[in-house]
Amino acid sequence: MNNMTLMTRLEVVVPARDAPDIRELITTSGATGYTSVSGVSGIGHHGQHSGALLFNEYDTLTMIITVLPPDKASELIDAIRELLSTSSGVMFVADTYVSRPEYFQ
Amino acid sequence: MAHRRPRSALCPIVDRDRASSADCPRSYVMSLILRAHIASAAHNIMPGWPIQSFIAVNPLAGHEPISFHSVTERNVALTREHRAYLADLREGRITEADLEQAISERIPELARATISVIGQEVAAVRIAVLDMTSVQGSPTRTAAPVPASRSMLWLDEYLAAWLPSYVTLDPLWPMPHKQKGLFGAWRWLANQDTSLPRAVRRALRDVSVSADAALAWALERLAVTPELIRSTLAQELEHLPGWVGYIKWRAEKYGDIDLTSYLAIRFVLRALLTIPLTPSPIPPLADERALLWQRAEHLTARLSEHPARQDVAAVARVLAHHRPDEHRFTWQKAYELNYRSSLLPSLSSTTPPMKARPQLQVVMCIDPRSEGMRRHLEASEAVETFGFAGFFGVPVRFARYGARGSIDSLPALLTPRHSLTERPALPLQAEEHLARGRARDAVRQAAHIADTSTGTPFAFAETTGWFYGATSFLRTFTPTLYQRLRRALARPDPLHGSVTMGEAFTLEERAGIAETAVRMMGLSDFAPLVVLAGHFSESVNNLYQSALDCGACGGNPGTANARAATAIFNDSAVRAMLLLRGIDIPDGTVFVAADHNTTRDTITVLDRHLIPDSHRSLISDFEGLQRAAGKKLLYERAADLPGATKRQSVPRLRARADDWAEVYPELGLAGNAAMIIGPRTLTRGVDLSRRVFLHSYDTALDRDGTALETIMTAPLVVAQWINHQYYFSALNPDTLGAGTKTIHNAVGTIGVLAGHGGDLRRGLPWQSVGLGTKLFHEPMRLTVIIQAPLDRVGDIISRNQALRHLLDNDWITLTARAHTHAPWHRYTSYGWQTTTAPMKGQST
């Protein structure tokens, strides 16, 4: 695809208090970076979630996005899946394409 | 760190130089899985904030997604003992009507049911009450704790000795090899540790230097199967819970230590010393059906001498809804209902708002201690008071002028994003201020070095011992004089200056802060003088000093926030923007910052040089009012303070702040039981006994409900954290509380130990909740009362999971009414229900 390189993108939405654990797994996996979006809103298995709260970052939801090579992704996916088996949160995994693969190696 | 890890197919995390792939089977090769297991095992553990800025947290907050009564935690009591509730029943602190109401609320099926017993129709709740008052104690669901083995005690003591060495900031002797991380440093140094057997030290050399790999190896060596890894790790984390909580906090805050390293040491030692894993306690099984019939027979015999079998069966059907192990939760609910049924009728439904424009408005923290001061200040009709979170909506990191450190003066729910400092008004004074500060530091540093260096302590003691002896004498027998002298010598004059608001916040942000504050607390009809009073506590020789400071400011004084908020409200550019948003602050209105000293009950006006001459007389009036109010409050508190009496003089009562032997300088938030969110007209003139968090709120100024949502998701959550901290510290002084403070020793600024070692203590000391062997804090879950449209309150709850957890799972209760003349409604999982509890002082 236009000389783009195939990568794996993970999007994880968890309560903000659980986000440090996810971030730790991502950094331990060898991913070169992540994007963290706090105060995301929506409706899910546990009902409605308000977005950003003015004076409370602790009880909001955080979405963490990371992109890494497919061969590195497998272990991270298993780990996050394991973590989410005992706490609330969702993970989306998708193929994605990047123009500068060296940034993600 | 991860980039250097070998990508071995079998054992990707193991240092190949140290461990063979045979030691790392497939079940453990995935280091990330192991880390996920650790995170999962530690999920319900609350991070333990350092005592330097004590943060009140619900120690069981990790369990809030489940019902309060479903929580099972090792060595933790969720309620008081059965006999304590029975004593309350005898003394009238709980009535049978409270018990009936509690049963109706907890078991709706029984609320209106009746059964036929001995030819009479009897309410099911009556049967349940009779059962509760006749059963000799409610068995708990948790099994008796398994006593720790000697080897486990040794392991705990061993870790408790190593951890302070690693985590102490600025130690006298830094731990060698600290840069290798906790596990790496320990592994290196343990080779020289003669408390370990030689064979263990030798074997340790073959263990991987990587904590992940070493943990995986140890788990394998201990034959922990993959499906048991998480539960095994969770069980291990139950040891030294204070240290574990602190490591969790530190891992998130600084990242220089993590639970993987901690667990790696524990499991490697277990593997090398062959310390077996502790078996999980198995709850005893009981024949519930037989017990149920026995209870029913016993109860029916109280109703009739010759009960028929069908009578016993009818009673048994009722009792089946209310197992004995549920009784204690019903007792606790009745205990709380009794308080609520006193509180609600005391709230005014008729008090009219103030007719004339107030001459003085005072905004104080929602902290229950402010309630007393507000009540006494309002003895003057010209005074109007408001309650607002003590950081005044200005979350900042604050550093005093020229100071080396800073404080995060904001709720623990937030991360600091704005930094404030002071800008001196007089350059010459600032220079002098700095010079005196440096000189003072130099003297302290010299004394510290002389006192702690290897060769100098004896000479230092010889030469300065007379001085320290004299100061100790003064400090012990004339504490007030000593503190006066100390203050005069040590503290420089107050620096004339202002906080650097303009550099920390844009104009738009400042206007936003002001608008939010005004709408949240319903502040309108501005008086000529508006006082924003932060609060702090004053005591000496008190490791828990920060637990008495402002909870909304992260366990810090609210001084900086009050000064910052004042600067915002007095900013003409901000006022111009507020005018465009419909908030008109008259030109003649001046905001001033102040400090409420909760130990001495005084309010000190700050930044006096910024107050215009036109308002000097109003300031004098306010100071006269606060002096009178402070004295009244001081004597009111003296009735509760251990060792204080109303016969003591004001200086004597205030001297508690100076006395280094005083373990009860004040009682902090002891007694806190409720939070009221609504206009002050609800509570003005009502003595709430300093037990209630008061947040002002006026629906009229909050058209879209945003302000209420902010109150319910922030100040309410902070109040609940504080409430549960007191609750569990009172019920579990040895496990979730810190025990008596008289034997505490500090570990730097991290926390305290009881005696010379052991676990880092959690929660509040016994002196915050009890005296002798009795509690003076009544452990009750927070009763929240809101005056606002019910659909608005309901919408806010429905879109915030944290609130749903707290309310639906019975961690707090909520009662609300739409307006002054509307009936009170109780929030339930099924919707709003009109309160039907008999109110004290009302006919039923």
Side-chain angles (χ1 to χ4, degrees), chain A residues 3-105:
Chain A
N3 292 327
M4 304 282 270
T5 305
L6 177 67
M7 293 278 168
T8 301
R9 186 178 77 233
L10 274 71
E11 294 173 358
V12 186
V13 182
V14 288
R17 62 183 80 179
D18 296 340
D21 292 334
I22 301 291
R23 286 195 283 261
E24 189 201 346
L25 290 178
I26 289 173
T27 51
T28 310
S29 74
T32 55
Y34 60 80
T35 301
S36 193
V37 184
S38 61
V40 295
S41 63
I43 297 177
H45 184 69
H46 293 281
Q48 194 180 350
H49 295 272
S50 204
L53 300 172
L54 191 56
F55 294 139
N56 188 344
E57 296 166 0
Y58 189 74
D59 288 316
T60 56
L61 291 181
T62 296
M63 179 164 67
I64 304 160
I65 306 159
T66 190
V67 171
L68 68 175
D71 62 319
K72 278 187 180 176
S74 172
E75 200 182 343
L76 178 60
I77 292 167
D78 286 347
I80 295 177
R81 201 172 176 184
E82 174 64 35
L83 185 56
L84 295 182
S85 69
T86 55
S87 57
S88 63
V90 291
M91 172 172 62
F92 307 107
V93 180
D95 286 344
T96 192
Y97 293 87
V98 299
S99 58
R100 290 181 288 198
E102 65 276 15
Y103 280 23
F104 301 90
Q105 299 292 343

Side-chain angles (χ1 to χ4, degrees), chain B residues 30-226:
Chain B
M30 295 171 288
S31 67
L32 283 178
I33 291 282
L34 188 51
R35 290 225 166 203
H37 280 309
I38 294 169
S40 186
H43 184 262
N44 288 344
I45 296 170
M46 282 303 286
W49 270 265
I51 199 169
Q52 183 184 13
S53 52
F54 189 89
I55 301 293
V57 293
N58 175 7
L60 303 186
H63 296 281
E64 284 169 5
I66 63 171
S67 296
F68 179 82
H69 65 268
S70 304
V71 174
T72 51
E73 189 83 1
R74 199 168 74 115
N75 299 337
V76 167
L78 299 175
T79 61
R80 290 185 297 149
E81 292 180 4
H82 185 244
R83 62 177 178 211
Y85 294 116
L86 281 178
D88 286 338
L89 185 66
R90 283 195 298 274
E91 293 162 11
R93 175 61 180 79
I94 297 174
T95 65
E96 295 212 347
D98 297 326
L99 282 172
E100 288 179 10
Q101 180 67 20
I103 291 166
S104 299
E105 287 191 13
R106 294 201 67 230
I107 313 163
E109 299 95 311
L110 298 184
R112 291 190 174 80
T114 57
I115 59 167
S116 179
V117 186
I118 332 154
Q120 291 181 344
E121 287 293 308
V122 183
V125 289
R126 282 299 309 152
I127 298 292
V129 167
L130 282 174
D131 180 44
M132 288 178 69
T133 52
S134 60
V135 170
Q136 296 299 310
S138 312
T140 58
R141 275 187 179 178
T142 50
V146 176
S149 64
R150 284 181 63 186
S151 52
M152 277 308 299
L153 290 174
W154 174 87
L155 186 56
D156 287 347
E157 282 176 20
Y158 182 84
L159 263 295
W162 275 88
L163 286 168
S165 310
Y166 183 82
V167 299
T168 303
L169 302 166
D170 302 321
L172 287 174
W173 288 2
M175 183 179 188
H177 305 289
K178 200 172 170 181
Q179 72 282 3
K180 297 178 193 295
L182 173 66
F183 181 78
W186 168 78
R187 183 187 166 284
W188 192 270
L189 295 169
N191 281 321
Q192 322 298 325
D193 182 359
T194 52
S195 69
L196 295 176
R198 184 171 293 170
V200 170
R201 281 182 272 153
R202 200 177 305 122
L204 197 56
R205 293 190 197 114
D206 294 329
V207 174
S208 169
V209 293
S210 153
D212 297 70
L215 177 58
W217 170 83
L219 288 170
E220 169 64 13
R221 180 91 173 248
L222 290 162
V224 180
T225 55

Side-chain angles (χ1 to χ4, degrees), chain B residues 264-311:
Chain B
I265 297 176
R266 290 193 73 103
F267 278 99
V268 164
L269 281 173
R270 272 185 180 276
L272 296 178
L273 293 163
T274 57
I275 302 173
L277 296 168
T278 316
S280 297
I282 301 166
L285 292 173
D287 185 348
E288 291 197 1
R289 290 182 64 179
L291 283 175
L292 174 64
W293 191 257
Q294 202 179 331
R295 282 164 58 210
E297 280 184 328
H298 175 72
L299 193 58
T300 319
R302 288 180 61 186
L303 301 170
S304 166
E305 289 183 1
H306 305 290
R309 187 173 174 78
Q310 64 267 28
D311 293 331

Side-chain angles (χ1 to χ4, degrees), chain B residues 4 40 43 222 301 332 382 439 452 455 467 484 489 526 565 737 744 755 769:
Chain B
R4 294 197 304 272
S40 186
H43 184 262
L222 290 162
Q332 178 62 26
T452 52
F467 174 74
R484 270 190 203 150
L489 291 170
F526 295 90
H744 281 172
V769 293

Side-chain angles (χ1 to χ4, degrees), chain B residues 724-741:
Chain B
H724 277 120
Q725 176 117 80
Y726 273 83
Y727 183 94
F728 288 115
S729 293
L731 293 177
N732 305 274
D734 295 323
T735 50
L736 298 181
T740 177
K741 60 162 77 164

Side-chain angles (χ1 to χ4, degrees), chain B residues 498-545:
Chain B
S498 55
V499 289
T500 55
M501 279 306 298
E503 294 162 24
F505 295 89
T506 64
L507 175 60
E508 181 64 35
E509 286 171 334
R510 299 200 302 273
I513 288 170
E515 183 183 4
T516 300
V518 164
R519 296 202 185 284
M520 276 178 71
M521 65 176 134
L523 179 60
S524 60
D525 199 13
F526 295 90
L529 184 66
V530 183
V531 179
L532 305 183
H535 68 94
F536 72 104
S537 179
E538 186 179 358
S539 57
V540 289
N541 193 27
N542 180 11
L543 294 172
Y544 279 85
Q545 157 85 46

